[in-house]
């Protein structure tokens, strides 16, 4: 068992993902630290970038890096029809 607050913090952070329990979080943390540090940095950068750049479309609630998503901003869409999403998923 790893004796590190940083490892424990990483495991707790990974457990915040849906369907990830303590054992899965431990396996992921150990994999990233032992075998795929480059992948870990890539994941960290992707999360950081998405959190700073992605918001909800003001019209339909989809994810977008702009005020309006590509669908709502499209000149070819019928503006009389609007689909509002509860969640982007």
């Amino acid at each position: 068992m790893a004796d590190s607050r940083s490892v424990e913090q990483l495991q707790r952070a990974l457990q915040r993902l849906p369907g990830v329990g303590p054992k899965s979080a431990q396996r992921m943390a150990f994999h990233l630290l032992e075998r795929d540090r480059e992948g870990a940095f890539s994941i960290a950068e992707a999360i950081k970038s998405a959190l700073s750049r992605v918001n909800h479309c003001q019209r339909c609630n989809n994810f977008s890096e702009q005020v309006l998503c590509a669908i709502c901003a499209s000149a070819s869409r019928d503006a009389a029809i609007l689909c509002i999403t509860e969640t982007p998923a």
Side-chain angles (χ1 to χ4, degrees):
M1 188 67 137
D3 181 28
S4 169
R5 288 186 183 157
S6 296
V7 174
E8 291 172 11
Q9 182 181 12
L10 175 58
Q11 288 173 288
R12 283 192 305 275
L14 290 167
Q15 285 183 61
R16 297 181 73 130
L17 294 169
V20 178
K23 285 292 193 185
S24 293
Q26 182 184 53
R27 281 192 296 275
M28 286 187 250
F30 286 1
H31 171 79
L32 293 170
L33 293 171
E34 290 177 0
R35 296 188 180 97
D36 194 8
R37 287 186 173 243
E38 185 177 323
F41 281 114
S42 177
I43 291 167
E45 281 299 313
I47 291 171
K48 183 178 177 181
S49 176
L51 287 173
S52 68
R53 299 170 68 180
V54 177
N55 290 297
H56 290 279
C57 172
Q58 287 185 355
R59 190 170 290 158
C60 73
N61 202 38
N62 195 10
F63 284 136
S64 177
E65 291 186 19
Q66 309 299 320
V67 175
L68 297 178
C69 70
I71 296 168
C72 291
S74 173
S76 65
R77 69 174 292 280
D78 183 351
I81 299 173
L82 177 63
C83 176
I84 299 173
T85 57
E86 180 180 355
T87 63

